[in-house]
Amino acid sequence: MKLLVAVAALAVASMAPASMPPAPLTPVPDPAAKGVTSTQGGCARPDARIRHGAHEARERNELTPAQVVNVERELNGLLAALGTKTSSTGRTRRQVPSRIWIPVYFHVLHDGPRGNLSTALIKRQIAALNAAYGGRLGGADTRFTFTLRQVTRSDNATWYDYPEAYEGTYKARLRKGGPGTLNLYSADLGDELLGWSTFPWLYKDEPKMDGVVLHIGSMPGGSIKNYDRGFSGVHEIGHWLGLYHVFQDGCASPGDRVADTPPARDSTDGCPSGKDTCPARGRDPIHNFMDYSFDSCMNNFTAGQGARMHKVWSAYRG
C-alpha cells in the first residue's frame, strides 16, 4: 500500500467504447466511506498501495511478524513436498521454469466515459510490467512475462465509484482462469488508495477474490502526480507473486525473507537520498518496487526477489 502527496483529479486522456452490456446497479453506499479501509466477509482486505499524505487509509493486511512466520512455515512445507525447497547455497532440488508466462485479463470498470480506458493505455500498462519484471529499468530479470489475453468492460457506476464495497460482486462475475492467471481491475479508488492485491496463499480459500485492483490515475501517463508510470501495478503484482514490502518487520531479521534487499525500518516517501534507517549493512532499498517511493524513484527488483517469486509460484500458482 502507498500514500500520495495530494488529492489528484481523475482524468484519462483516451477512452474506448464499451463492449459489454451494463451490469445491474446496486444501491450506492455512503460516499463518506469511499477510499476508506473496509472488510469483505469478515476478512481483512489484502495488501494495498496508499498515496503519500493520505490519512484515512491504512495497511489493510500488513502482516504481523507472527503472521509471516505462519505463511513461511506453510510455504516451506509445500516447497519441501514439491522438492523445490531452497538450500543455504541457493540451489533447488527441482528445476523451476526458466521463464513463466502469465496470461492477463484486464477488466475495465467504468461509468460511461468515466474510466473507460483505451486498449492502447492498457497495453502500455502491460509494457510497464514487462519492463520492470524483465529487468529493463535497471534491476534483475525476474523471469516473468505478462501477456494480455482479453479486455472486458463493465459499464456500472457503482462498481466504478465503490470498488472496495462491491469487490466481491464484480470479481465473482468477471474473474477468469485459475491460480496462474492474473486478473487486473481498474476503477476510481478515491483519494488515497493506488491499488490493492491478494496474496497467492489466499487463493485456495477465496479463488474468485484473487487479483489486483488499480486506480485509473496510477497507470502510465495517469493523473496522479508522482504515481503515473504504472508502477502501482508493478508493486501490487509483486504481492500477487508472493513478495512482502521491503520494510516488512522493520529492522528485525529476516524481514522480507529476501537476502539481497537491505532492511528498512519504515516505508519511503518521495525519493530521499541516503535514507538508512537500520543498523544492518546497506542503505534502505528506496529504488525497489516493493517500497512506497515515488514512481520516478523506483527501478528494480533484486535477483533474490525473483527467486522468491518463482518459489511461491511453484507452491501456489504453478
Side-chain angles (χ1 to χ4, degrees):
M1 201 154 39
K2 190 171 180 183
L3 302 172
L4 286 179
V5 174
V7 175
L10 298 176
V12 177
S14 54
M15 302 296 178
S19 61
M20 288 182 61
L25 295 179
T26 45
V28 177
D30 181 1
K34 183 176 177 60
V36 179
T37 299
S38 63
T39 60
Q40 290 276 355
C43 299
R45 291 303 311 274
D47 235 318
R49 192 181 188 213
I50 316 170
R51 311 186 194 189
H52 169 63
H55 302 291
E56 295 282 342
R58 60 182 175 84
E59 280 292 355
R60 297 178 298 173
N61 199 27
E62 180 68 21
L63 300 184
T64 66
Q67 288 173 320
V68 172
V69 167
N70 289 334
V71 168
E72 294 303 301
R73 182 183 298 117
E74 178 185 85
L75 171 61
N76 288 331
L78 291 171
L79 292 175
L82 290 169
T84 59
K85 183 176 176 62
T86 301
S87 69
S88 60
T89 63
R91 297 176 180 174
T92 59
R93 293 191 294 271
R94 175 174 174 266
Q95 185 66 38
V96 295
S98 60
R99 181 163 298 277
I100 293 174
W101 298 79
I102 301 177
V104 180
Y105 288 86
F106 199 107
H107 307 287
V108 178
L109 311 181
H110 64 103
D111 174 22
R114 291 197 308 135
N116 196 9
L117 308 178
S118 69
T119 300
L121 177 56
I122 293 167
K123 290 180 177 179
R124 289 173 63 195
Q125 177 65 68
I126 301 299
L129 300 181
N130 285 324
Y133 282 86
R136 298 198 295 273
L137 302 177
D141 180 357
T142 67
R143 296 177 291 120
F144 285 95
T145 300
F146 303 86
T147 58
L148 183 62
R149 184 68 58 84
Q150 185 184 12
V151 176
T152 73
R153 300 180 186 277
S154 298
D155 191 351
N156 186 317
T158 307
W159 292 358
Y160 174 70
D161 284 321
Y162 302 95
E164 288 188 273
Y166 292 94
E167 183 180 14
T169 303
Y170 61 77
K171 282 189 172 181
R173 298 188 189 183
L174 300 176
R175 193 187 186 283
K176 297 178 182 292
T181 301
L182 175 60
N183 282 253
L184 297 177
Y185 305 82
S186 63
D188 175 3
L189 308 192
D191 297 334
E192 299 186 329
L193 294 176
L194 291 162
W196 66 79
S197 174
T198 57
F199 285 116
W201 42 87
L202 301 178
Y203 179 87
K204 61 182 182 295
D205 292 327
E206 292 186 294
K208 283 292 186 180
M209 295 299 291
D210 186 68
V212 172
V213 183
L214 296 177
H215 196 309
I216 60 167
S218 74
M219 294 177 65
S223 61
I224 304 177
K225 185 179 179 181
N226 297 317
Y227 304 96
D228 55 0
R229 298 189 181 189
F231 294 166
S232 291
V234 173
H235 176 100
E236 295 304 334
I237 291 166
H239 291 311
W240 187 80
L241 289 169
L243 293 182
Y244 302 122
H245 292 128
V246 291
F247 49 88
Q248 175 68 46
D249 295 354
C251 296
S253 179
D256 66 351
R257 272 57 180 183
V258 177
D260 60 0
T261 56
R265 183 190 62 207
D266 47 34
S267 61
T268 300
D269 292 333
C271 193
S273 176
K275 181 171 181 267
D276 189 2
T277 58
C278 291
R281 185 175 181 177
R283 293 181 177 178
D284 291 14
I286 65 170
H287 302 297
N288 194 279
F289 288 116
M290 299 313 294
D291 202 346
Y292 277 3
S293 312
F294 289 166
D295 278 14
S296 58
C297 192
M298 293 178 157
N299 61 27
N300 75 83
F301 288 111
T302 67
Q305 286 174 313
R308 176 179 170 84
M309 287 187 280
H310 276 260
K311 289 197 299 179
V312 173
W313 183 274
S314 296
Y316 294 105
R317 298 202 183 278

